[in-house]
C-alpha cells in the first residue's frame, strides 16, 4: 500500500511538473516592427503575459514568406505566431504554411461583430490599415488631393516615394491615368492594362524613392528627402501626434487588414490560439487603435473610443467614402507575374 501511495505521489508530482513546463513554454510572436511593437506591446503582449503567465518572445521581420516556408519545410518551426498581410495569408494558407483556425472553439464575439474577412481559415484580422498620400505641409500652399496630383511634377515639384512593390504602385498609376476605381482590377488583369500602368509609372520614375519598411516614408518626408509619399496611415498619425509638418490625403486611399496567423507545425498551438483570441477582443483593439492610429476589426471597439481618436482612423466613415479595397485575390492570381515585370522595370 505504501509503495502504491509513493508511486502515485511521484506520478502526480511528475504530471504537475510537466504541466508547469508546458505552461512555462514561451510563445514567439513576430510582427512588422516599428510602431507595431509599441502598440502590440501595450494592447496584446503585456495583457497576454499577465492573464496567461506565458512568456512572450517577440521579434520583427519584413514579411519574408521564404523564412516561414523554410521553417515548415524543414519542420524546424521557431516562430509560433506571425503578422501577415492578406495576400500572404491567403497564399500561405493554401500552401499549408499556416494552421487552420477553428473559430467555433475560440471565445470571441459573433462573426457579425467583425469587419468582413476578419475571421478567415488561417488568420485573425486584428486591425484595418490604409495606404494614404502624405505630404510636407511646408512645401505647398495648395496641398495635393489625389494620385493625379502625385503624378503632377510641374504643380508639385520634388522627389516622391512609393513602396517598392507593384502592389498599389500599379493601382495608383491607373487612377492617376484616369481609370475609374471600380475598373482598376479589370483593367490591370489585361496585358494592355499592365502596359498602361507601367507607362504611367515611367512618367515619374526619375523622381521616385522606393521605400521598403513602413518607417521610411515619414523619415524621408520629415527630413525633406521627399515632398510627398505613400504611407501607412498609422505612421502619418504618429508623426502628426509628434507635431511634425505632415499632411494626409484620405481621398483615393487603399485599405486592407493585417492578420495574425499560426505557423504550421508549432508546438505551442494552444497558447497561440489563446493569444489570437485576446487580440480579437474590443478592449484590446481599443488600446491598439489609440496607440497605433489604425482601425479596428471588432466593431464593438468603436463604442470604447473617443471621438478624436475615431476621426483619425481608417475605419471612420468619412475616410472610407472614397477609399478603395485592395484585392488580395487579384494579387494571388497575378502577383508573381507582375512582381517579375516590376523587378525588371525597376532595375532598368
Amino acid at each position: 500500500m505504501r509503495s502504491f501511495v509513493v508511486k502515485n505521489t511521484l506520478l502526480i508530482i511528475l504530471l504537475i511538473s510537466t504541466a508547469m513546463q508546458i505552461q512555462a513554454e514561451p510563445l514567439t510572436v513576430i510582427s512588422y516592427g516599428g510602431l507595431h511593437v509599441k502598440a502590440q506591446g501595450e494592447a496584446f503582449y503585456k495583457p497576454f503575459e499577465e492573464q496567461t503567465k506565458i512568456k512572450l518572445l517577440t521579434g520583427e521581420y519584413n514579411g519574408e514568406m521564404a523564412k516561414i516556408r523554410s521553417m515548415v519545410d524543414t519542420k524546424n518551426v521557431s516562430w509560433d505566431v506571425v503578422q501577415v498581410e492578406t495576400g500572404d495569408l491567403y497564399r500561405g494558407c493554401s500552401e499549408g504554411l499556416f494552421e487552420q483556425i477553428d473559430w467555433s472553439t475560440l471565445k470571441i464575439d459573433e462573426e457579425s461583430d467583425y469587419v468582413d474577412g476578419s475571421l478567415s481559415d488561417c488568420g485573425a484580422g486584428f486591425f484595418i490599415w490604409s495606404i494614404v498620400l502624405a505630404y510636407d505641409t511646408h512645401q505647398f500652399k495648395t496641398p495635393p488631393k489625389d494620385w493625379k496630383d502625385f503624378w503632377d511634377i510641374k504643380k508639385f515639384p520634388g522627389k516622391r516615394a512609393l513602396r517598392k512593390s507593384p502592389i498599389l504602385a500599379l493601382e495608383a498609376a491607373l487612377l492617376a491615368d484616369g481609370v475609374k476605381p471600380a475598373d482598376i482590377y479589370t483593367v490591370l488583369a489585361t496585358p494592355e492594362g499592365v502596359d498602361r500602368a507601367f507607362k504611367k509609372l515611367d512618367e515619374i520614375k526619375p523622381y521616385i524613392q522606393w521605400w521598403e519598411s513602413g518607417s521610411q516614408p515619414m523619415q524621408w518626408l520629415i527630413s525633406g528627402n521627399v515632398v510627398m509619399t505613400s504611407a501607412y496611415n498609422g505612421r502619418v498619425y504618429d508623426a502628426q501626434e509628434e507635431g511634425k509638418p505632415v499632411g494626409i490625403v484620405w481621398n483615393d486611399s487603399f485599405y486592407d487588414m493585417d492578420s495574425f496567423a499560426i505557423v504550421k507545425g508549432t508546438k505551442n498551438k494552444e497558447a497561440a490560439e489563446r493569444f489570437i483570441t485576446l487580440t480579437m477582443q474590443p478592449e484590446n483593439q481599443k488600446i491598439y487603435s489609440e496607440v497605433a492610429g489604425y482601425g479596428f476589426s471588432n466593431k464593438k471597439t468603436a463604442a470604447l473610443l473617443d471621438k478624436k481618436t475615431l476621426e483619425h482612423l481608417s475605419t471612420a466613415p468619412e475616410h472610407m467614402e472614397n477609399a478603395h479595397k485592395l484585392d488580395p485575390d487579384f494579387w494571388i492570381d497575378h502577383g508573381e507575374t507582375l512582381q517579375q515585370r516590376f523587378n525588371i522595370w525597376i532595375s532598368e
Side-chain angles (χ1 to χ4, degrees):
M1 181 68 180
R2 184 167 178 261
S3 174
F4 176 80
V5 171
V6 171
K7 288 182 179 179
N8 277 273
T9 301
L10 291 174
L11 178 60
I12 291 172
I13 293 173
L14 178 61
L15 289 172
I16 293 174
S17 176
T18 302
M20 290 178 65
Q21 289 176 4
I22 293 174
Q23 185 180 20
E25 184 74 23
L27 184 74
T28 300
V29 179
I30 305 297
S31 75
Y32 291 133
L35 182 63
H36 293 289
V37 174
K38 179 183 178 182
Q40 290 172 17
E42 294 185 28
F44 309 139
Y45 299 166
K46 184 178 179 181
F48 178 79
E49 288 187 326
E50 290 176 348
Q51 293 177 25
T52 66
K53 309 305 178 186
I54 298 174
K55 180 177 176 58
L56 282 179
L57 301 177
T58 61
E60 304 171 16
Y61 82 140
N62 286 321
E64 302 94 337
M65 293 296 289
K67 290 185 179 181
I68 298 173
R69 187 174 292 104
S70 177
M71 289 182 191
V72 175
D73 289 346
T74 60
K75 293 181 169 41
N76 185 26
V77 178
S78 56
W79 294 353
D80 301 309
V81 179
V82 292
Q83 179 181 349
V84 287
E85 294 183 354
T86 303
D88 287 336
L89 173 66
Y90 285 11
R91 280 189 294 271
C93 192
S94 66
E95 294 175 17
L97 302 183
F98 302 128
E99 297 281 355
Q100 295 276 325
I101 299 176
D102 184 355
W103 291 106
S104 65
T105 65
L106 303 186
K107 296 179 180 179
I108 63 168
D109 293 313
E110 297 294 325
E111 185 173 358
S112 59
D113 290 321
Y114 293 92
V115 174
D116 288 347
S118 301
L119 312 182
S120 65
D121 291 342
C122 296
F126 65 99
F127 81 92
I128 312 297
W129 53 264
S130 293
I131 288 282
V132 296
L133 196 165
Y135 62 93
D136 185 340
T137 57
H138 288 164
Q139 292 291 328
F140 312 115
K141 291 182 179 179
T142 302
K145 61 182 184 296
D146 54 27
W147 293 108
K148 289 184 179 179
D149 285 345
F150 188 89
W151 255 258
D152 193 336
I153 301 297
K154 291 183 178 179
K155 187 176 180 180
F156 301 96
K159 286 278 190 179
R160 47 262 282 143
L162 285 172
R163 184 182 178 185
K164 194 176 182 180
S165 168
I167 300 175
L168 192 121
L170 298 182
E171 288 98 330
L174 290 179
L175 284 177
D177 204 39
V179 174
K180 295 179 180 179
D183 297 333
I184 290 174
Y185 292 107
T186 301
V187 172
L188 203 52
T190 66
E192 296 80 13
V194 173
D195 290 342
R196 181 176 177 179
F198 277 101
K199 183 178 180 180
K200 192 65 178 177
L201 279 170
D202 282 337
E203 295 178 8
I204 60 170
K205 188 176 182 181
Y207 303 93
I208 302 177
Q209 288 185 195
W210 299 100
W211 58 268
E212 297 183 69
S213 69
S215 62
Q216 288 176 318
M218 289 302 97
Q219 291 172 359
W220 294 349
L221 198 61
I222 293 168
S223 67
N225 287 341
V226 299
V227 297
M228 65 178 79
T229 179
S230 64
Y232 293 113
N233 70 286
R235 301 282 185 170
V236 184
Y237 171 79
D238 193 44
Q240 290 177 330
E241 286 293 288
E242 293 177 357
K244 305 300 184 184
V246 175
I248 186 170
V249 179
W250 285 100
N251 184 42
D252 275 347
S253 63
F254 287 82
Y255 70 93
D256 201 355
M257 67 178 66
D258 273 19
S259 300
F260 277 125
I262 302 172
V263 181
K264 185 73 172 180
T266 174
K267 297 178 181 178
N268 301 316
K269 185 179 179 182
E270 183 178 347
E273 289 176 340
R274 293 177 70 181
F275 176 79
I276 278 178
T277 298
L278 181 143
T279 68
M280 302 302 282
Q281 306 305 314
E283 297 81 8
N284 300 93
Q285 291 195 4
K286 167 186 178 288
I287 299 172
Y288 191 86
S289 290
E290 289 174 335
V291 177
Y294 286 114
F296 42 82
S297 63
N298 189 320
K299 299 173 185 176
K300 291 182 178 180
T301 307
L304 305 178
L305 291 164
D306 60 58
K307 184 179 179 180
K308 181 182 177 182
T309 301
L310 281 170
E311 289 174 348
H312 284 88
L313 303 181
S314 53
T315 41
E318 60 269 28
H319 298 160
M320 297 295 287
E321 186 175 353
N322 294 312
H324 318 300
K325 177 74 168 63
L326 283 171
D327 188 342
D329 292 323
F330 172 87
W331 285 105
I332 288 173
D333 293 339
H334 303 278
E336 186 174 350
T337 300
L338 292 177
Q339 183 68 58
Q340 290 175 353
R341 177 161 178 178
F342 181 82
N343 291 342
I344 294 171
W345 175 83
I346 206 170
S347 64
E348 291 175 340

